[in-house]
Amino acid sequence: MTEVAEHPMLLHEAPDGARRFPLENRPLVVGRAPGSDVRIPDRGLSSRHCRIEPTVGGWKVVDLESRNGTYVNDVLVKQRLLQDGDEIRLGRVMLRYFESGAEGDQIARVSHLIATIHHQLGKDGVRKAAESFSTTAARMGVTGLLVSSETMRAAEHVQNVMNAMVEERRPEAVFEMILDTLIEYTRAERGFFILTKEPSKRSKKNAAVDDGQGRVVAARNFDREEVKDALAKISRTVLKRAMDSGEPVIVTDAVLDERFAGTDSITDMQLRSILCIPVRWRKNAVGTMYLDNRFERGVFQERQLPMIGMFADQAAIALRNAELHAENERRLAELTRANSEVEELNRILSERVAQTNAELMEVKEHLLRDRDEAPLKYSYSNIVGKSRRMRDLFHLLDKVTDSDVPVLVQGESGTGKELVARAIHFNGARKRRPFISENCAAIPETLLESELFGYAKGAFTGAHADKKGLFEAANGGTLFLDEIGDMPMDMQKKLLRVLQEREVRPVGGKRVIPIDVRILAASNQDLRKLCEEGRFREDLFFRLNVITVELPPLRERRDDVPLLVRRFIEEIAEETKTKFKTVSEDAMKALMNYHWPGNVRELRNEIQRAAALSDNVIVPLVLSPHIRGHVEDDPSVAELGQKPLREMVREVTEELERKVIQEALTRSRGRKAQAARLLGVSRPTLDSKIDAYGLIVKRE
């Protein structure tokens, strides 16, 4: 007998057989080139793909800058110390490393044998050979090497039953599925589920009550049909024996079994094979699974009991679920009856609730005042604002910045969404990493994918070299996607996959690139409404909308207009190296009274224009006409001599009253009770004024 060398070896299992390459203290180059030490003519390999070389402690594999990479146990490596049994994948080629050449030789022989059997007898031949191998090994005392197809099918059926228990509320349907499966698995003729412990509320379908032995809640035959008059077709003697002992009862041939000699039911029904197994819930017997076959002997085997026991456990769980459903229905009925009592309690407590709401409003005001005085954790010097809405925003950003979850910034155009995104990034833990911003509405759909994910050389005309995408460029940092609501639906699907998998594949590329990017998104549209209209993916919305930051429009924080104006004038003076300019009182009044549909961006453009037209002081004359009109339209001046004094005073008073009420509603965030207290009027009076002036109450 030839002695097998104990040198390490590489094993290549090809369709035509296994090839062995011994490793003997010298490096081996693996590749497609003719001069390779281990030459494998596969186009997936580079000419010189990798090198297997000795090192301290064994052998290692070193990638030689191959085109498709070198993988050890499906992990891409540059070099790796090899362990016994490691799989080395080079393109489509698989090599295995063995520290013992003898072990590798044995596996090679097995591989060659399997290939021969597959070539001559196909898949069925390999399956039969595997089952024969498992049987022979079991006779030698080595069991459980291979799972039989019968066991695999039974395991699949258990999984189906478990799924049905989640979706199906009727326990009878689950019991019937279990019986159908057991009949198929064991080759039984009939199956019965006998309930010995009555649950609360049960369907009377197929119920035949015995004297203390229970009732049949499911009965099936091998044609998957219901068995009529089921209890009369069961051996009560076998059933009672299983119930009394609490153990499974297997009858190979009932007519010849001494335990049941002389039993009329067995003789009359000519029963042969019987299996009766108790169904338990928390160690208490609640029912019995009964299977039989009137025509064949020895149908049921001891080896089947573990799998059948799993089905019995599923039946017990289904029974318990039915009891819980029944209990829930009973409680729901009780809750429905108690609903009238709850309504009465609501009526009695209505006055207390109103009083409590008033007290809570007072407490909330104090808390808000306390919060305004509390110092901020981070600096927001690039965002101008001291109004209550902006202070609330800064406190929210303090909390958002410390986390690493996606943030959705929503607000009208020109409210400063990118400034908020930059504040979150540069105050956070990723501030030393890149901040990349992209406007999704500014890039054509055909270019957006390559812009975000990058592309490989040759992916399309003009792709002369690999190019990183924005995700890869922002790796470790933050990617800000502005106007996300304008992203095409197809790109939304691809973006969702990237966010879920945390990896990108460049356009035209084969390798995937892992990414670690915090996503900040922004939109001037209501994304939730876009989802309802089918214009934005709901799953992507939920992925982006972990935390929402709402930016107030400038018209809702007019107190910040003077601060913004001053900031813009300072920036203009610094940029143009000119003298700092002031703003007249009337000009500032016009700026504060204007509603600014373009928000901060429009205000900045207006100040730049006015500063260019002014020498030292910005006056109303240099403002745009639609803004300047908010000063000149004062009826006390413009309409003097055209209307009686009484009518002019009434109009001015009504306009002032309307503005004051609107401001009170804004400050109270749409809460009428609080606005009424600010104005010193009753709630009915405030409601009548709101209706008279046609004011819109927007509660926040």
Side-chain angles (χ1 to χ4, degrees), residues 342-412:
V342 173
E343 292 178 355
E344 180 64 17
L345 288 175
N346 286 336
R347 187 188 65 79
I348 295 174
L349 296 175
S350 60
E351 293 182 0
R352 296 184 184 179
V353 171
Q355 181 180 357
T356 303
N357 285 337
E359 294 173 354
L360 288 174
M361 292 300 299
E362 294 292 337
V363 172
K364 184 176 181 180
E365 289 181 9
H366 286 291
L367 290 175
L368 287 174
R369 285 196 294 269
D370 292 342
R371 191 176 69 179
D372 292 341
E373 296 172 0
L376 292 169
K377 184 175 181 180
Y378 298 108
S379 171
Y380 301 99
S381 57
N382 290 335
I383 306 176
V384 179
K386 291 185 178 180
S387 62
R388 180 178 297 277
R389 294 293 300 275
M390 295 305 291
R391 289 197 297 271
D392 290 344
L393 173 65
F394 295 151
H395 282 289
L396 175 59
L397 294 183
D398 269 354
K399 299 176 181 178
V400 168
T401 300
D402 290 335
S403 68
D404 203 35
V405 298
V407 176
L408 176 62
V409 185
Q410 295 212 142
E412 298 178 4

Side-chain angles (χ1 to χ4, degrees), residues 362 365 653-691 693 695 697:
E362 294 292 337
E365 289 181 9
T653 302
E654 290 178 351
E655 178 63 20
L656 177 60
E657 187 176 54
R658 186 190 67 78
K659 290 181 178 180
V660 170
I661 293 173
Q662 184 65 67
E663 180 64 21
L665 291 170
T666 300
R667 292 187 182 184
S668 64
R669 301 186 180 184
R671 292 166 175 80
K672 294 183 180 179
Q674 185 178 354
R677 286 197 297 273
L678 289 175
L679 296 169
V681 299
S682 65
R683 173 68 179 272
T685 300
L686 177 62
D687 288 335
S688 64
K689 294 289 186 181
I690 291 174
D691 293 338
Y693 293 130
L695 300 177
V697 181

Side-chain angles (χ1 to χ4, degrees), residues 235-252 254 257 259-260 266 272-278 288-292 300-302 305 308:
S235 172
R236 301 181 187 182
T237 305
V238 177
L239 177 63
K240 187 176 186 305
R241 187 181 186 93
M243 292 170 57
D244 292 344
S245 66
E247 299 295 333
V249 175
I250 297 179
V251 181
T252 303
D257 197 313
R259 295 174 295 176
F260 310 108
I266 290 178
R272 291 292 185 185
S273 300
I274 304 174
L275 170 61
C276 196
I277 184 169
T288 309
M289 289 286 189
Y290 181 103
L291 304 171
D292 68 9
F300 309 110
Q301 306 293 328
E302 289 280 348
L305 289 180
I308 297 174

Side-chain angles (χ1 to χ4, degrees), residues 66-236:
S66 61
R67 182 176 67 256
N68 291 326
T70 299
Y71 293 79
V72 176
N73 298 330
D74 289 328
V75 176
L76 181 66
V77 300
K78 288 296 184 183
Q79 61 177 341
R80 172 69 63 87
L81 180 65
L82 295 173
Q83 303 294 329
D84 188 31
D86 278 352
E87 293 184 346
I88 307 170
R89 179 163 59 83
L90 315 174
R92 295 168 295 187
V93 173
M94 184 69 73
L95 302 175
R96 294 183 66 186
Y97 168 78
F98 293 99
E99 293 182 352
S100 169
E103 179 183 358
D105 284 338
Q106 293 296 334
I107 293 176
R109 294 190 184 99
V110 172
S111 175
H112 179 73
L113 177 61
I114 293 174
T116 301
I117 295 174
H118 183 270
H119 177 72
Q120 295 179 357
L121 303 177
K123 293 182 179 179
D124 288 340
V126 174
R127 179 180 58 78
K128 292 178 181 179
E131 293 179 351
S132 176
F133 175 82
S134 179
T135 303
T136 303
R139 286 199 296 268
M140 299 173 65
V142 183
T143 59
L145 293 180
L146 296 174
V147 179
S148 67
S149 57
E150 178 186 69
T151 303
M152 290 294 293
R153 287 195 299 272
E156 292 176 0
H157 287 310
V158 171
Q159 182 64 44
N160 293 336
V161 170
M162 294 175 67
N163 294 337
M165 289 172 58
V166 175
E167 302 172 358
E168 179 62 65
R169 293 189 59 177
R170 293 188 310 109
E172 291 84 356
V174 178
F175 299 151
E176 291 174 355
M177 176 182 288
I178 291 174
L179 290 177
D180 289 341
T181 302
L182 287 178
I183 291 172
E184 178 183 347
Y185 173 60
T186 63
R187 295 187 297 109
E189 179 195 0
R190 301 177 301 189
F192 307 88
F193 180 33
I194 301 94
L195 185 64
T196 56
K197 178 183 177 182
E198 282 291 329
S200 57
K201 289 191 181 180
R202 176 68 60 191
S203 169
K204 297 302 181 182
K205 175 186 176 184
N206 207 1
V209 180
D210 189 25
D211 51 355
Q213 291 192 1
R215 65 186 182 87
V216 178
V217 293
R220 306 285 284 179
N221 62 20
F222 65 91
D223 286 327
R224 300 198 173 194
E225 298 173 342
E226 180 183 339
V227 177
K228 304 297 183 181
D229 194 17
L231 196 57
K233 299 174 181 178
I234 295 173
S235 172
R236 301 181 187 182

Side-chain angles (χ1 to χ4, degrees), residues 442-511:
I443 302 178
E445 179 179 356
T446 55
L447 301 179
L448 185 56
E449 181 179 3
S450 59
E451 186 70 19
L452 291 178
F453 307 146
Y455 57 79
K457 178 181 179 181
F460 48 82
T461 303
H464 301 301
D466 293 350
K467 181 181 181 300
K468 288 184 178 181
L470 296 183
F471 270 94
E472 189 175 358
N475 202 18
T478 302
L479 178 59
F480 175 57
L481 299 177
D482 198 5
E483 303 305 342
I484 191 74
D486 294 322
M487 179 177 285
M489 292 292 288
D490 186 54
M491 271 303 303
Q492 293 178 28
K493 180 179 179 181
K494 297 176 181 178
L495 174 61
L496 177 63
R497 185 193 63 80
V498 170
L499 298 182
Q500 290 174 337
E501 303 297 332
R502 301 182 69 86
E503 62 183 23
V504 297
R505 184 191 298 273
V507 176
K510 296 182 179 179
R511 66 186 183 97

